[in-house]
Amino acid sequence: MPLIPVKTPKVIKSIFPNYVWNIDTTEKVIYLTFDDGPTPQITNWILNILNQYNAKATFFCIGANVEKYPDVFQGILNENHRVGNHTQHHIKGWKTKNKAYIKNVEKAQKVFELNLQNSELRIQNLFRPPYGKITFKQGKTLMALGYKIIMWDVLSFDWDKSITQERCFNNVTSKAKPGSIVVFHDSVKASKHMMYTLPKVLEHFSKKGYSFKALEF
């Protein structure tokens, strides 16, 4: 198991108080998020499962993938889910100079806007840094440009092949609570664990009276 915690510690949240880690609420709501798509078949499969539970989610898309699969991206919008920016090329902030990083984010944002087509939705300036790696300067610059940086409260670890599918499921069900922002991935790498875990998570929390909403500010 990696050293990264499933549940984000309060001390980390306190160091970056201007980032969104969870939604402060007592309402039984969980905010599912999906990173790294859109991906043919996988993203569409997720949309179908979410629809079965009347669940809404937020998809943090890679700009290059939106360019490759605009129809899949449009499918997300058609189902009234939200989309956020995950950079154009899934780059690591810690290894990228500030100017180049911001340019990559802005490139992705332009791709999203060009692919809105006839959707009634408008792209919010939601941003999640790939790998969760972003420098203070990059974060400050993006926030000055109007972006809201969305992190997470719970990681499913669906991409981690060293854990079992049951562990992936337990990561979410044991740690998520009202207002939690949970991370899944609509990627090929994460698909096996995600496809096992997501329906079970939806069923588990639905039975407990939870609903699933997209992030909106």
Side-chain angles (χ1 to χ4, degrees), residues 32 49-57 79 81 202 212-213:
L32 299 176
I49 293 297
L50 292 176
N51 188 53
Q52 291 177 32
Y53 288 86
N54 194 30
K56 298 303 176 186
E79 294 294 329
H81 298 289
L202 289 165
F212 304 89
K213 296 182 180 180

Side-chain angles (χ1 to χ4, degrees), residues 185-201:
H185 294 78
D186 51 337
S187 65
V188 173
K189 181 179 181 181
S191 61
K192 184 177 180 181
H193 281 11
M194 183 276 295
M195 287 180 169
Y196 172 87
T197 301
L198 180 60
K200 294 180 180 297
V201 164

Side-chain angles (χ1 to χ4, degrees), residues 32-36 128 154 156 158 168 172 182-186 190 193-194 197-198 201:
L32 299 176
T33 64
F34 297 88
D35 292 2
D36 298 356
R128 174 174 285 160
V154 177
S156 67
D158 54 355
C168 182
V172 180
V182 180
V183 178
F184 285 104
H185 294 78
D186 51 337
H193 281 11
M194 183 276 295
T197 301
L198 180 60
V201 164

Side-chain angles (χ1 to χ4, degrees), residues 109-126:
Q109 201 74 3
K110 289 179 181 178
V111 169
F112 298 161
E113 292 168 357
L114 286 171
N115 282 275
L116 275 173
Q117 297 183 25
N118 296 321
S119 174
E120 294 181 359
L121 291 177
R122 289 295 174 263
I123 302 299
Q124 298 184 91
N125 288 349
L126 305 183

Side-chain angles (χ1 to χ4, degrees), residues 108 110 114 152 161 169:
K110 289 179 181 178
L114 286 171
W152 57 79
K161 295 180 180 179
F169 170 68

Side-chain angles (χ1 to χ4, degrees), residues 128-144:
R128 174 174 285 160
Y131 313 101
K133 296 179 178 180
I134 185 171
T135 67
F136 279 104
K137 186 174 183 180
Q138 290 162 355
K140 184 177 181 180
T141 303
L142 286 172
M143 287 187 290

